[in-house]
Amino acid sequence: MDAEGRKIFGNCATQTDRDGVVKLTYLSALLLSEDPDDKEHACLAIAAIAQDAPDNRKSLFEHKISGQVLGVLKETCQQAMPRQRLQRVAVMALSELAQDFDAFQQLIRKEGAVKMLLDMTAPTNDPYLIKETLACLGRITQNNPAIQKEL
C-alpha cells in the first residue's frame, strides 16, 4: 500500500458504520479468530496500514488493535509448536506499529515482550523470523532508554 492508500484507509477506517462501530475495529475479529490464517492476514494488513503512517499507528493503538497484535504474538510464543510464519508477520506488524511510537513501545516493555523478542532470535528459529525480530528490536530500542537498558 502506498502513502496515499494509507491516508485514504486511515480517513475511512476511523469513521463509524451505520451501527456506530469504528470500521478500524473490524480487524479485531480477525485477530481474535481461532483460525491462524485470519490472524496472519490481519497482521499483514496492519503492517501495511501502519508503515510510515503515524496517524494510522495512533488510531490502531487507540482502538486497542496494537495490543491485540501483541497478544497474538504472545499467544503463539506460548504454543508447544508455534507457527513461525504467524510469528513472523506478527513481529512485522509489531515493528511497524512501534516505529517512533513511544506509547506502544512502553506497552511492549510493560508486557514483557522485549525478552520474548530476544528469545525469538535463537538460531533454532526460522531465519526470516530472526531477521524480522532483529529489525523490530532495532526499532523499539532506538531513542528508548528504558528498552535499551532492558536489553
Side-chain angles (χ1 to χ4, degrees):
M1 183 180 293
D2 65 4
E4 185 63 25
R6 286 187 291 275
K7 183 178 178 184
I8 292 169
F9 180 89
N11 290 336
C12 248
T14 54
Q15 297 175 6
T16 57
D17 63 15
R18 66 176 177 229
D19 296 323
V21 176
V22 176
K23 296 173 186 174
L24 187 62
T25 61
Y26 296 168
L27 290 166
S28 290
L30 295 173
L31 291 169
L32 299 174
S33 169
E34 294 297 318
D35 185 347
D37 288 337
D38 288 346
K39 294 176 184 190
E40 231 175 270
H41 298 308
C43 287
L44 285 170
I46 291 165
I49 294 162
Q51 183 182 18
D52 300 324
D55 290 340
N56 288 353
R57 286 194 287 270
K58 183 178 181 201
S59 293
L60 288 159
F61 182 77
E62 289 173 347
H63 289 96
K64 312 286 189 238
I65 304 295
S66 301
Q68 289 175 342
V69 170
L70 181 57
V72 166
L73 182 61
K74 288 174 78 172
E75 176 188 324
T76 64
C77 287
Q78 293 171 354
Q79 295 171 348
M81 289 287 291
R83 187 171 170 168
Q84 290 193 341
R85 188 174 66 196
L86 175 55
Q87 285 179 318
R88 187 173 73 241
V89 296
V91 170
M92 182 189 326
L94 203 71
S95 183
E96 292 297 342
L97 291 164
Q99 177 70 38
D100 299 323
F101 197 73
D102 189 58
F104 187 51
Q105 291 175 5
Q106 294 312 318
L107 179 65
I108 290 169
R109 189 177 71 74
K110 180 181 154 207
E111 293 290 319
V114 175
K115 183 186 179 332
M116 180 182 64
L117 288 165
L118 271 175
D119 292 343
M120 292 171 67
T121 62
T124 54
N125 284 323
D126 173 68
Y128 295 108
L129 173 59
I130 294 169
K131 177 183 172 237
E132 211 53 66
T133 303
L134 288 171
C136 181
L137 284 166
R139 283 185 171 185
I140 65 173
T141 57
Q142 193 174 33
N143 299 319
N144 193 316
I147 292 178
Q148 290 172 6
K149 184 178 178 183
E150 187 171 334
L151 289 174

